[in-house]
Amino acid sequence: MTTNAMVEKFVAAPVSHGIADPAAALLKRTMPFQVVSDETLGRIAELARPKRFEAGQVLYTVGATADDVYVVVSGKIEHALGLGRGTRTLNQVMTAGDVFGWASLMKEVPARLATTTCLEPAEVLMISGRDLMRIFDEDKATGDVVMSRFAAMITNDFTLPEELAHALTFPKAARPVQLTGATLTMFRMSLWLKSPKPYLMTFGFAMTMLFWYFAVEVWQLPRFKEMPELTTVVTEWLSKDPTYGLSIYTPEYYTHIWTSVRRVAIAFCLATALGVPLGLFLGWSKTFREYVFPIFEILRPIPVLAWVPLAIIMFTGSETPVIFLTFLASFFATALNTMLGVESIDESYSRAAYCLGANRWTVFRHVIVPGSMPYIFTGLQISVGVAWFSLVAGEMVSGQYGLGYVINTSYTMVRYPTIIIGMVTLGAVGYTTSAMVRAVGDYMMQWRLRELALGGR
């Protein structure tokens, strides 16, 4: 029976993730190969050889030469680990979709570390370990993550003895058991570059520019004919002697950018320093929440512009009111997301920690804070975005210098190309700050990044 015929016969849903090859589809459903690209997965599927075993038949024994990795198509196979000290679970029953035979990926002359026996008639796919490693050597980024998934699978299932961890053959680019957040970030970036997303994004930008050009300069549509022309904006932006006095060659342009960035940075840091602790306590303490949350919810919906008169009255000078207005929206977004992060934590973790003797402060530090981190950094990304929204409102009302000030004064002085320059610059700088917050989050939550990468997402 051919590989595909076997898989089609014994696998209920042979086609997954849009993969037509049944063998590749089966591999895509297994833990180690979920992150492999379709092209590489097809090459691995070509190596697969089908084989049937009867109940009671031994596939291999301890000490036999290890040459193949096995993927269970159907049936049940007992895997009894027979080598090494410190193994917690010696026996494991493999069913459809499980992968074993990882000793064939070890260095030099590999030998089997377990005995495998069919508990009932079983069908398997056999893949040469040497050929598989050659594929991973050619695609080291994929090899790193696949092998790290093998390591995680082996450790979780069998508590792999330390002496075996040194024997695994991993691609030389990095030892997967020691993958850092940066390595996994680069892997995810490489997958993104290989996907259609960046090219679709570029196509989207190009279509937007073309629509702007044709709607304003060629077709002159009723709602667009008064808009500044694309060619005029680009010419003004790149001109050494701009008509309206603002381009990439004028120092004033960078003064506006720096002023806005400085204001957002101050407001964002204040919002983080105050919003994160407030959110943690709102989610952690029901008593504290009953006192504070009603006031929090009353103030949160008030628009930033409604605070402008009070900001001017409460704070002196031109800088402090703008920073206060920028701080407000950022603060509420940070605190609310942090509170939701604490509420999302399963109470069983806290109860388990208390049962193990942890006090309230220990639970807060080791359960509440780490468990809410994904929500906190999601909130911070939202926070830095709304900080830019608030900044523009503040600079339009009470600012001197800044991108919001540029947009407002350009409108009153009928400098329409400068309005577009300010808006596009604002978007680019805002995107950069969000990316920086995201990068800091990835660095501080390497466990989360590793989970996403090893989870195939």
Side-chain angles (χ1 to χ4, degrees), residues 198-222:
Y199 311 104
L200 292 175
M201 181 181 67
T202 303
F203 179 75
F205 277 116
M207 292 300 295
T208 302
M209 296 297 103
L210 284 174
F211 176 78
W212 181 6
Y213 174 77
F214 281 101
V216 178
E217 300 188 41
V218 179
W219 300 326
Q220 295 185 347
L221 299 179

Side-chain angles (χ1 to χ4, degrees), residues 264-272 274-276 296 304 323-337 379-388 390:
V264 167
I266 295 173
F268 177 73
C269 290
L270 288 174
T272 302
L274 298 177
V276 171
F296 179 88
V304 172
I323 293 174
F324 172 74
L325 294 172
T326 305
F327 157 84
L328 278 176
S330 182
F331 166 76
F332 288 120
T334 301
L336 183 62
N337 276 273
L380 292 180
Q381 291 181 55
I382 299 172
S383 171
V384 75
V386 298
W388 283 102
S390 306

Side-chain angles (χ1 to χ4, degrees), residues 57-338:
Q57 188 172 352
V58 176
L59 282 70
Y60 55 76
T61 58
V62 174
T65 301
D67 46 14
D68 292 311
V69 174
Y70 291 77
V71 180
V72 181
V73 178
S74 67
K76 294 182 179 179
I77 300 173
E78 183 184 50
H79 184 285
L81 191 63
L83 178 67
R85 301 178 305 275
T87 52
R88 181 185 61 220
T89 305
L90 292 176
N91 291 66
Q92 193 85 350
V93 176
M94 304 294 176
T95 58
D98 287 333
V99 181
F100 63 97
W102 37 264
S104 61
L105 305 178
M106 294 170 60
K107 298 177 182 178
E108 298 173 356
V109 182
R112 293 298 183 189
L113 307 175
T115 297
T116 54
T117 308
C118 291
L119 300 179
E120 60 186 38
E123 300 276 355
V124 300
L125 296 181
M126 303 166 60
I127 304 173
S128 168
R130 299 302 95 187
D131 293 338
L132 189 60
M133 291 308 303
R134 276 195 288 270
I135 292 177
F136 291 158
D137 285 337
E138 295 171 5
D139 188 355
K140 293 186 181 297
T142 299
D144 284 349
V145 175
V146 171
M147 295 302 292
S148 67
R149 292 179 71 116
F150 264 112
M153 178 185 70
I154 296 164
T155 303
N156 291 337
D157 289 346
F158 298 104
T159 312
L160 184 67
E162 184 177 355
E163 59 265 26
L164 298 185
H166 298 290
L168 289 177
T169 303
F170 294 102
K172 296 180 180 179
R175 285 190 59 85
V177 292
Q178 298 174 346
L179 282 177
T180 64
T183 303
L184 293 175
T185 299
M186 293 304 297
F187 174 73
R188 295 175 70 193
M189 179 63 70
S190 68
L191 290 182
W192 182 75
L193 291 174
K194 293 177 182 178
S195 72
K197 293 181 182 179
Y199 311 104
L200 292 175
M201 181 181 67
T202 303
F203 179 75
F205 277 116
M207 292 300 295
T208 302
M209 296 297 103
L210 284 174
F211 176 78
W212 181 6
Y213 174 77
F214 281 101
V216 178
E217 300 188 41
V218 179
W219 300 326
Q220 295 185 347
L221 299 179
R223 298 294 181 183
F224 295 89
K225 62 182 180 180
E226 300 300 330
M227 290 276 291
E229 298 176 349
L230 173 62
T231 53
T232 302
V233 172
V234 174
T235 301
E236 178 76 5
W237 203 355
L238 303 179
S239 174
K240 292 184 178 180
D241 186 19
T243 304
Y244 301 108
L246 195 70
S247 74
I248 61 173
Y249 293 99
T250 59
E252 186 180 4
Y253 177 64
Y254 299 99
T255 301
H256 288 302
I257 294 176
W258 165 245
T259 301
S260 292
V261 169
R262 177 171 51 80
R263 288 168 175 166
V264 167
I266 295 173
F268 177 73
C269 290
L270 288 174
T272 302
L274 298 177
V276 171
L278 177 64
L280 289 172
F281 284 107
L282 283 173
W284 187 44
S285 173
K286 292 182 179 180
T287 303
F288 182 78
R289 180 175 177 176
E290 288 174 357
Y291 282 112
V292 176
F293 191 67
I295 301 173
F296 179 88
E297 280 295 276
I298 290 173
L299 297 178
R300 187 171 63 89
I302 300 176
V304 172
L305 289 177
W307 288 92
V308 170
L310 289 179
I312 296 174
I313 293 172
M314 289 188 297
F315 302 100
T316 59
S318 59
E319 284 294 298
T320 313
V322 177
I323 293 174
F324 172 74
L325 294 172
T326 305
F327 157 84
L328 278 176
S330 182
F331 166 76
F332 288 120
T334 301
L336 183 62
N337 276 273
T338 303

Side-chain angles (χ1 to χ4, degrees), residues 430-447:
Y431 177 84
T432 302
T433 55
S434 295
M436 291 172 63
V437 172
R438 194 158 46 246
V440 172
D442 288 344
Y443 177 78
M444 294 185 65
M445 294 189 299
Q446 293 188 18
W447 58 269

